[in-house]
Amino acid sequence: MLNRKRSDFLSWGLLLAVVLVLLEATLNGGGILFSLLISAALMFFGKKRMPKRSGKIMFWLGVFIAVMNVLSMFTFKLLLVAFVIYVIYEFYQTKQNPVFVTPQFEADSTRSQDDIYRKETLLKNLLLGTQQTPEHVYEWNDINIQCGPGDTIIDLNQTILPHGESVILIRGTIGNITIYVPYEIEAAVSHSMIMGNSRIFDRSESKLFNQTLFYRTKGYGEADKKIKIVTSMFAGSLEVKRV
């Protein structure tokens, strides 16, 4: 119920933001809308002419005009203040009510007449804050989550992976992702980010910008037990290390 209320709140907040931006643009006599249309045209035609130098100039000029127009809007400043207040409030809530992950085992699952049952996920979608796998032994379930600002920590040493390929899929915004992989487990890592750095086993890369990385251990294809790690984020770092 709480997650649904938060989702509704964010949906209404985004709708209100769009209405306020359009209202301010209209009250200003259409000047902002005209500038945004010009910037959109520059980015569109600049993108088509890339990688030519003229295309790059047009594209980034359009980006600059759009950013300057948005930053000058009173609505943007108001929404920025509201967003900062909301982030501080959510951070305070996570400190007062931390997320404890308690995995449910198959014996506790609710079965239907067709022998289809629902199991609790190991980690959950988190709007803001840090979460990690339990420090005690836990049953493995494939992970597929989306995260807001915060850190995610996964320790595979506290579980037993099943035979075949297990999957970790994490889509984040800002923060750090740390994954501990046992020495006997082969791994494939695909990581996409706008800006940040990574350390995947003994390979480190810093000051990355709008890149996708892929690494795979030598014995991954033939391994009986292996982990496939797929991560994406706007800004932050990924660390996959042996322990």
Side-chain angles (χ1 to χ4, degrees), residues 34-235:
F34 179 75
S35 296
L36 290 176
L37 288 174
I38 293 295
S39 65
L42 286 171
M43 287 187 285
F44 176 77
F45 290 108
K47 189 71 173 177
K48 280 187 169 294
R49 294 181 61 84
M50 283 187 177
K52 294 182 179 179
R53 185 177 180 181
S54 59
K56 293 180 179 179
I57 294 175
M58 291 175 63
F59 178 81
W60 289 110
L61 179 61
V63 171
F64 176 77
I65 294 175
V67 170
M68 294 305 297
N69 273 280
V70 171
L71 291 178
S72 66
M73 296 179 70
F74 174 76
T75 301
F76 173 80
K77 299 172 184 177
L78 181 64
L79 293 174
L80 183 61
V81 172
F83 176 75
V84 171
I85 294 174
Y86 177 73
V87 169
I88 293 174
Y89 171 76
E90 287 293 329
F91 181 76
Y92 173 78
Q93 288 293 99
T94 60
K95 290 298 183 181
Q96 295 297 313
N97 304 292
V99 177
F100 295 95
V101 179
T102 306
Q104 301 294 321
F105 294 91
E106 185 172 324
D108 298 327
S109 304
T110 302
R111 292 181 178 271
S112 69
Q113 294 179 351
D114 297 323
D115 287 333
I116 298 176
Y117 59 93
R118 175 178 178 178
K119 300 178 67 174
E120 289 296 322
T121 56
L122 188 58
L123 298 179
K124 302 180 183 298
N125 291 343
L126 196 62
L127 184 63
L128 177 69
T130 298
Q131 65 175 334
Q132 65 183 63
T133 52
E135 297 180 357
H136 55 76
V137 177
Y138 61 89
E139 182 187 34
W140 173 255
N141 288 319
D142 285 350
I143 295 174
N144 179 11
I145 57 173
Q146 302 180 78
C147 306
D151 299 339
T152 301
I153 303 170
I154 299 174
D155 188 354
L156 299 179
N157 283 277
Q158 298 296 334
T159 189
I160 299 177
L161 295 178
H163 294 283
E165 184 179 67
S166 300
V167 178
I168 295 175
L169 176 59
I170 303 175
R171 295 173 293 274
T173 53
I174 301 174
N176 304 307
I177 300 173
T178 305
I179 303 174
Y180 299 102
V181 180
Y183 281 96
E184 67 274 12
I185 300 297
E186 302 295 335
V189 182
S190 177
H191 179 55
S192 175
M193 88 296 291
I194 299 299
M195 60 184 71
N197 54 74
S198 70
R199 181 176 180 84
I200 300 173
F201 301 130
D202 59 343
R203 304 291 181 90
S204 296
E205 299 196 44
S206 59
K207 299 180 181 179
L208 296 169
F209 179 75
N210 195 28
Q211 292 192 32
T212 298
L213 307 176
F214 181 77
Y215 290 95
R216 191 174 75 169
T217 56
K218 185 176 181 179
Y220 184 83
E222 301 77 23
D224 180 50
K225 293 183 179 182
K226 49 192 174 184
I227 185 74
K228 181 178 181 180
I229 301 170
V230 181
T231 56
S232 62
M233 61 195 320
F234 177 77

